[in-house]
Amino acid sequence: MVRFKNRYVLCEVVSEDPRCRQCIEDRALGLAVRDAIARVHGDYGLACCSISFTVKYLNAYTGTVLLRCRKDWYRLLCSALPFVRYLESRAQRYPCFLNTLHVGGTIRTCQKFLIQYNRTQLLRLLQNCTNEEERQCIQKSLLRCSLTEEQSQSGDEEEDDGTE
Amino acid sequence: AAAFERRVLRRAAEHHYLRVRLELPDAGARPNAAQFKQLVVTALKELHGEVGAALPVDVLTYEEKTLSAILRVISSGLVKLWSALTLLGFYQNRRCAFRVLQTSPFLLALSGNSRELIL
């Protein structure tokens, strides 16, 4: 009973509308998630999950979101995430959904997972890309982030250019 | 002499039964059975959301004159139901309160009331 334990939920925002990317911001997303929790779990669920709830990390280019909540109530949060149907900002609604990728106990484990995930996503993008210059870009990113003997450190891989 | 064996089963019952009474201090139209159930589900929905409102609650008996009823709920949902009934304050903008008179995992136990010595 020494410290408060948190759970970090890593999700990605998937939307068909390309304009949705610009409205991915932490306040809009936080409000949307809290609204979904209030609908699904009522006042009690909203109060429980809001104790230590923040949007810790947000990447608008890749749509990656890291949410934090208390360890006792992370199941309420995870069960309410499929009920987020749209993001609202500046009086505009964009339909979207949240894909849960990983639930971790610390930011570091989520970061490790995200690095692995981004690597596999790059490989998938390489298979599906149509343009020659896109292919060159992705191949360059892949070479930079895979381990070679010359490179002394392979950190900072999650700072990919996010080309699509 | 026969061997004495005592078995205690905890949390073995599937349902919990609650005898509740709705207190409506002002004189107005009393809810009928359907409106009473709607009130219970609304209370659950406010406190516990859609998940709470989907809890399988049954109104086994309802008396409109005394506004008392026997509710049945699945055992895992007893805490949610009881807390929702406690925190309900309004019925159609009129002040109201739920009083829980008896609760038991067995329906037969609700027939006798040892508080008022009615057995």
Side-chain angles (χ1 to χ4, degrees):
Chain A
M1 200 19 277
V2 181
R3 69 168 200 249
F4 288 121
K5 300 198 176 177
N6 296 318
R7 282 284 178 267
Y8 293 87
V9 182
L10 190 68
C11 342
E12 79 173 311
V13 177
V14 178
S15 168
E16 292 162 354
D17 197 351
R19 291 169 300 167
C20 186
R21 299 237 171 257
Q22 3 166 279
C23 92
I24 299 183
E25 33 182 51
D26 49 356
R27 257 198 347 168
L29 201 73
L31 283 177
V33 172
R34 294 180 61 165
D35 183 56
I37 297 178
R39 255 183 301 132
V40 178
H41 294 293
D43 294 335
Y44 175 71
L46 177 63
C48 286
C49 296
S50 302
I51 290 181
S52 173
F53 175 74
T54 42
V55 179
K56 267 307 206 184
Y57 168 77
L58 187 53
N59 187 338
Y61 298 111
T62 57
T64 310
V65 178
L66 187 66
L67 307 166
R68 174 187 78 178
C69 78
R70 282 259 179 269
K71 176 179 158 191
D72 304 313
W73 313 114
Y74 82 96
R75 298 194 63 137
L76 292 181
L77 173 64
C78 288
S79 62
L81 287 181
F83 291 86
V84 175
R85 302 257 328 273
Y86 54 82
L87 287 181
E88 183 153 355
S89 94
R90 285 182 288 261
Q92 282 280 0
R93 267 186 197 190
Y94 302 101
C96 65
F97 66 89
L98 295 181
N99 219 359
T100 306
L101 303 174
H102 187 247
V103 176
T106 55
I107 301 189
R108 187 166 303 175
T109 54
C110 289
Q111 186 187 34
K112 277 204 283 198
F113 175 84
L114 190 59
I115 296 173
Q116 276 300 103
Y117 182 74
N118 282 347
R119 281 208 196 115
T120 45
Q121 288 297 92
L122 272 182
L123 283 173
R124 278 243 243 108
L125 284 176
L126 185 61
Q127 279 176 354
N128 300 348
C129 73
T130 50
N131 225 347
E132 187 50 45
E133 66 170 53
E134 272 180 19
R135 193 179 287 271
Q136 297 286 347
C137 262
I138 297 180
Q139 272 176 347
K140 213 165 48 153
S141 315
L142 269 176
L143 283 176
R144 255 193 327 163
C145 78
S146 52
L147 290 170
T148 57
E149 282 170 20
E150 287 87 42
Q151 282 182 346
S152 54
Q153 276 178 15
S154 55
D156 304 289
E157 277 89 31
E158 78 272 24
E159 242 85 326
D160 289 324
D161 295 290
T163 52
E164 288 162 33
Chain B
F4 179 72
E5 184 184 317
R6 180 175 137 143
R7 285 195 191 182
V8 180
L9 296 167
R10 313 196 63 191
R11 290 189 301 267
E14 222 181 283
H15 297 283
H16 264 77
Y17 300 86
L18 285 152
R19 185 195 289 273
V20 300
R21 192 184 68 226
L22 177 64
E23 273 186 7
L24 279 173
D26 57 0
R30 291 173 163 206
N32 62 17
Q35 289 169 331
F36 186 83
K37 175 143 189 202
Q38 167 74 8
L39 185 62
V40 168
V41 174
T42 306
L44 275 167
K45 183 157 181 176
E46 277 178 15
L47 189 61
H48 291 288
E50 300 287 342
V51 167
L55 205 53
V57 171
D58 302 312
V59 178
L60 297 181
T61 57
Y62 177 66
E63 288 159 39
E64 197 167 323
K65 243 167 51 143
T66 54
L67 289 175
S68 80
I70 296 188
L71 305 175
R72 177 181 76 168
V73 72
I74 215 111
S75 289
S76 55
L78 177 67
V79 174
K80 289 191 179 171
L81 176 66
W82 201 335
S83 55
L85 292 178
T86 306
L87 292 178
L88 182 71
F90 289 97
Y91 168 62
Q92 286 178 353
N93 286 334
R94 296 147 64 184
R95 269 292 190 194
C96 73
F98 266 99
R99 307 287 181 213
V100 174
L101 305 170
Q102 293 166 288
T103 172
S104 166
F106 310 110
L107 188 52
L108 190 56
L110 294 187
S111 61
N113 191 354
S114 61
R115 275 191 184 178
E116 273 116 59
L117 286 176
I118 304 171
L119 294 166

Coordinates of all heavy atoms in Angstrom, one line a residue, chain A residues 69-107:
Chain A
C69 N -4.9 5.9 -16.3 CA -5.9 5.9 -15.3 C -5.5 5.0 -14.2 O -4.5 4.3 -14.3 CB -7.3 5.4 -15.8 SG -7.4 3.7 -16.0
R70 N -6.2 5.0 -13.1 CA -5.8 4.1 -11.9 C -5.9 2.7 -12.2 O -6.8 2.2 -13.0 CB -6.7 4.4 -10.7 CG -6.4 5.7 -10.0 CD -5.7 5.4 -8.8 NE -5.4 6.7 -8.1 CZ -4.3 7.4 -8.4 NH1 -3.4 6.9 -9.2 NH2 -4.1 8.6 -7.8
K71 N -5.1 1.9 -11.6 CA -5.0 0.4 -11.9 C -6.3 -0.2 -11.5 O -6.8 -1.2 -12.1 CB -3.9 -0.2 -11.1 CG -3.8 -1.7 -11.2 CD -2.6 -2.2 -10.4 CE -2.8 -3.7 -10.1 NZ -1.9 -4.1 -9.2
D72 N -7.0 0.3 -10.5 CA -8.3 -0.4 -10.0 C -9.4 -0.2 -11.0 O -10.3 -1.0 -11.0 CB -8.7 0.2 -8.7 CG -7.6 0.2 -7.6 OD1 -7.0 -0.9 -7.5 OD2 -7.4 1.2 -7.0
W73 N -9.3 0.8 -11.8 CA -10.5 1.1 -12.7 C -10.1 1.0 -14.2 O -10.9 1.6 -15.0 CB -11.0 2.5 -12.4 CG -11.2 2.7 -10.9 CD1 -10.5 3.6 -10.1 CD2 -12.1 2.0 -10.0 NE1 -10.9 3.5 -8.8 CE2 -11.9 2.5 -8.7 CE3 -13.0 1.0 -10.2 CZ2 -12.6 2.1 -7.6 CZ3 -13.7 0.5 -9.1 CH2 -13.5 1.1 -7.9
Y74 N -9.0 0.4 -14.5 CA -8.7 0.5 -15.9 C -9.6 -0.4 -16.8 O -9.8 -0.1 -18.0 CB -7.2 0.0 -16.2 CG -7.0 -1.5 -16.2 CD1 -6.9 -2.1 -17.4 CD2 -6.8 -2.2 -15.1 CE1 -6.7 -3.5 -17.5 CE2 -6.6 -3.6 -15.1 CZ -6.6 -4.2 -16.3 OH -6.4 -5.6 -16.4
R75 N -10.3 -1.3 -16.2 CA -11.2 -2.2 -16.9 C -12.4 -1.3 -17.3 O -13.0 -1.5 -18.4 CB -11.6 -3.4 -16.2 CG -10.4 -4.2 -15.8 CD -10.9 -5.6 -15.4 NE -11.6 -6.3 -16.4 CZ -11.4 -7.5 -16.7 NH1 -10.6 -8.2 -16.1 NH2 -12.1 -8.1 -17.7
L76 N -12.9 -0.4 -16.5 CA -14.0 0.4 -16.8 C -13.6 1.3 -18.1 O -14.4 1.4 -19.0 CB -14.3 1.4 -15.7 CG -15.0 0.8 -14.4 CD1 -15.2 1.9 -13.4 CD2 -16.2 0.0 -14.7
L77 N -12.4 1.8 -18.0 CA -11.9 2.6 -19.1 C -11.8 1.8 -20.4 O -12.4 2.2 -21.5 CB -10.5 3.2 -18.8 CG -9.8 4.0 -19.9 CD1 -10.6 5.2 -20.2 CD2 -8.5 4.4 -19.4
C78 N -11.2 0.6 -20.3 CA -11.0 -0.2 -21.6 C -12.4 -0.6 -22.1 O -12.5 -0.7 -23.4 CB -10.2 -1.4 -21.3 SG -8.5 -1.0 -21.0
S79 N -13.3 -0.9 -21.3 CA -14.6 -1.3 -21.8 C -15.4 -0.2 -22.4 O -16.3 -0.4 -23.2 CB -15.4 -2.0 -20.7 OG -15.7 -1.1 -19.7
A80 N -15.1 1.1 -22.0 CA -15.8 2.2 -22.6 C -15.2 2.7 -23.9 O -15.9 3.5 -24.6 CB -15.9 3.3 -21.6
L81 N -14.0 2.3 -24.2 CA -13.3 2.9 -25.4 C -14.0 2.5 -26.7 O -14.1 3.4 -27.6 CB -11.9 2.4 -25.5 CG -10.9 3.1 -24.5 CD1 -9.5 2.6 -24.6 CD2 -10.9 4.6 -24.6
P82 N -14.6 1.3 -26.9 CA -15.4 1.1 -28.1 C -16.6 2.0 -28.3 O -17.1 2.1 -29.4 CB -15.8 -0.3 -28.0 CG -14.9 -1.0 -27.0 CD -14.5 0.1 -26.1
F83 N -17.0 2.7 -27.3 CA -18.2 3.5 -27.4 C -17.8 5.0 -27.8 O -18.7 5.8 -27.9 CB -19.0 3.6 -26.1 CG -19.6 2.2 -25.8 CD1 -18.9 1.2 -25.1 CD2 -20.9 2.0 -26.1 CE1 -19.5 0.0 -24.9 CE2 -21.5 0.8 -25.9 CZ -20.8 -0.2 -25.2
V84 N -16.6 5.2 -28.1 CA -16.2 6.5 -28.6 C -16.5 6.5 -30.1 O -15.8 5.8 -30.8 CB -14.7 6.9 -28.3 CG1 -14.4 8.2 -29.0 CG2 -14.5 6.9 -26.8
R85 N -17.5 7.3 -30.6 CA -17.8 7.2 -32.0 C -17.4 8.3 -32.8 O -17.2 8.2 -34.0 CB -19.4 7.1 -32.1 CG -20.0 5.9 -31.3 CD -20.4 4.8 -32.2 NE -20.8 5.2 -33.5 CZ -22.1 5.5 -33.8 NH1 -23.0 5.5 -32.9 NH2 -22.4 5.9 -35.0
Y86 N -17.2 9.5 -32.1 CA -16.8 10.6 -32.9 C -15.9 11.5 -32.1 O -16.0 11.5 -30.8 CB -18.0 11.4 -33.5 CG -18.9 11.8 -32.4 CD1 -18.7 13.0 -31.7 CD2 -20.1 11.1 -32.2 CE1 -19.6 13.4 -30.7 CE2 -21.0 11.5 -31.2 CZ -20.7 12.6 -30.4 OH -21.6 13.0 -29.5
L87 N -15.1 12.4 -32.7 CA -14.3 13.4 -32.0 C -14.9 14.7 -32.4 O -15.2 15.0 -33.6 CB -12.9 13.4 -32.4 CG -12.1 12.2 -31.9 CD1 -10.6 12.3 -32.4 CD2 -12.1 12.2 -30.4
E88 N -15.0 15.6 -31.4 CA -15.7 16.9 -31.7 C -14.7 18.0 -31.3 O -14.1 18.0 -30.2 CB -16.9 17.0 -30.8 CG -17.6 18.3 -31.1 CD -19.1 18.1 -30.8 OE1 -19.5 17.0 -30.4 OE2 -19.8 19.1 -30.9
S89 N -14.5 18.9 -32.3 CA -13.6 20.1 -32.0 C -14.0 21.2 -32.9 O -14.2 20.9 -34.1 CB -12.1 19.7 -32.1 OG -11.7 20.1 -33.4
R90 N -14.1 22.4 -32.4 CA -14.4 23.6 -33.1 C -15.7 23.4 -33.8 O -15.9 23.7 -35.0 CB -13.3 23.9 -34.1 CG -12.1 24.5 -33.5 CD -11.1 24.9 -34.6 NE -10.5 23.7 -35.2 CZ -9.3 23.2 -34.8 NH1 -8.6 23.9 -33.9 NH2 -8.8 22.2 -35.3
A91 N -16.7 22.8 -33.1 CA -18.1 22.6 -33.6 C -18.1 21.7 -34.9 O -19.0 21.9 -35.7 CB -18.7 24.0 -33.9
Q92 N -17.1 20.8 -35.0 CA -17.1 19.9 -36.1 C -17.0 18.5 -35.5 O -16.3 18.2 -34.6 CB -15.9 20.1 -37.0 CG -16.1 21.3 -37.9 CD -16.9 20.9 -39.1 OE1 -17.4 19.7 -39.2 NE2 -17.1 21.8 -40.0
R93 N -17.8 17.6 -36.1 CA -17.8 16.2 -35.6 C -17.2 15.3 -36.7 O -17.6 15.4 -37.8 CB -19.2 15.7 -35.4 CG -19.7 15.9 -34.1 CD -21.0 15.2 -33.9 NE -21.5 15.8 -32.7 CZ -22.6 15.3 -32.1 NH1 -23.2 14.3 -32.6 NH2 -23.0 15.9 -31.0
Y94 N -16.2 14.5 -36.3 CA -15.6 13.6 -37.2 C -15.8 12.2 -36.7 O -15.4 11.9 -35.6 CB -14.1 13.9 -37.4 CG -13.9 15.3 -37.9 CD1 -13.4 16.2 -37.0 CD2 -14.0 15.6 -39.2 CE1 -13.2 17.5 -37.4 CE2 -13.8 16.9 -39.6 CZ -13.4 17.9 -38.7 OH -13.2 19.1 -39.1
P95 N -16.5 11.3 -37.5 CA -16.6 9.9 -37.0 C -15.3 9.2 -37.0 O -14.5 9.3 -37.9 CB -17.6 9.3 -38.0 CG -17.4 10.1 -39.2 CD -17.1 11.5 -38.8
C96 N -15.0 8.4 -35.9 CA -13.8 7.7 -35.8 C -14.0 6.6 -34.8 O -15.0 6.5 -34.1 CB -12.7 8.6 -35.3 SG -12.9 9.2 -33.6
F97 N -13.0 5.7 -34.6 CA -13.0 4.8 -33.5 C -11.6 4.6 -32.9 O -10.7 4.9 -33.6 CB -13.7 3.5 -33.9 CG -12.9 2.7 -34.9 CD1 -12.0 1.7 -34.5 CD2 -13.1 2.8 -36.3 CE1 -11.2 1.0 -35.5 CE2 -12.4 2.1 -37.2 CZ -11.5 1.2 -36.8
L98 N -11.6 4.1 -31.7 CA -10.3 3.9 -31.0 C -10.0 2.4 -31.0 O -10.8 1.6 -30.6 CB -10.4 4.4 -29.6 CG -10.6 5.9 -29.4 CD1 -10.6 6.2 -27.9 CD2 -9.4 6.6 -30.0
N99 N -8.8 2.1 -31.5 CA -8.3 0.7 -31.5 C -7.3 0.6 -30.3 O -6.3 1.3 -30.2 CB -7.5 0.5 -32.7 CG -7.7 -0.8 -33.4 OD1 -8.4 -1.6 -32.8 ND2 -7.1 -1.0 -34.5
T100 N -7.6 -0.3 -29.4 CA -6.7 -0.5 -28.2 C -5.5 -1.4 -28.7 O -5.7 -2.5 -29.1 CB -7.4 -1.1 -27.0 OG1 -8.6 -0.4 -26.8 CG2 -6.5 -1.2 -25.8
L101 N -4.3 -0.9 -28.5 CA -3.1 -1.6 -28.9 C -2.5 -2.4 -27.7 O -2.1 -3.5 -27.9 CB -2.1 -0.7 -29.6 CG -2.5 0.1 -30.7 CD1 -1.4 1.1 -31.2 CD2 -2.9 -0.8 -31.9
H102 N -2.4 -1.7 -26.6 CA -1.6 -2.2 -25.5 C -2.0 -1.6 -24.2 O -2.3 -0.4 -24.2 CB -0.1 -2.0 -25.8 CG 0.8 -2.7 -24.8 ND1 1.6 -2.0 -23.9 CD2 1.1 -4.0 -24.6 CE1 2.3 -2.8 -23.2 NE2 2.0 -4.0 -23.6
V103 N -2.0 -2.4 -23.1 CA -2.2 -1.8 -21.8 C -1.0 -2.2 -21.0 O -0.6 -3.3 -20.8 CB -3.4 -2.5 -21.1 CG1 -3.6 -2.0 -19.7 CG2 -4.7 -2.2 -21.9
G104 N -0.3 -1.1 -20.5 CA 0.9 -1.3 -19.7 C 0.9 -0.7 -18.4 O 0.1 0.2 -18.1
G105 N 1.8 -1.1 -17.5 CA 1.9 -0.5 -16.2 C 2.7 0.8 -16.1 O 2.5 1.6 -15.2
T106 N 3.6 1.0 -17.1 CA 4.4 2.2 -17.1 C 4.5 2.7 -18.5 O 4.2 2.0 -19.5 CB 5.9 1.9 -16.6 OG1 6.4 0.8 -17.5 CG2 5.9 1.4 -15.2
I107 N 4.9 4.0 -18.6 CA 5.1 4.6 -19.9 C 6.2 3.9 -20.7 O 6.1 3.8 -21.9 CB 5.4 6.1 -19.8 CG1 4.2 6.8 -19.0 CG2 5.5 6.7 -21.1 CD1 4.3 8.3 -19.0

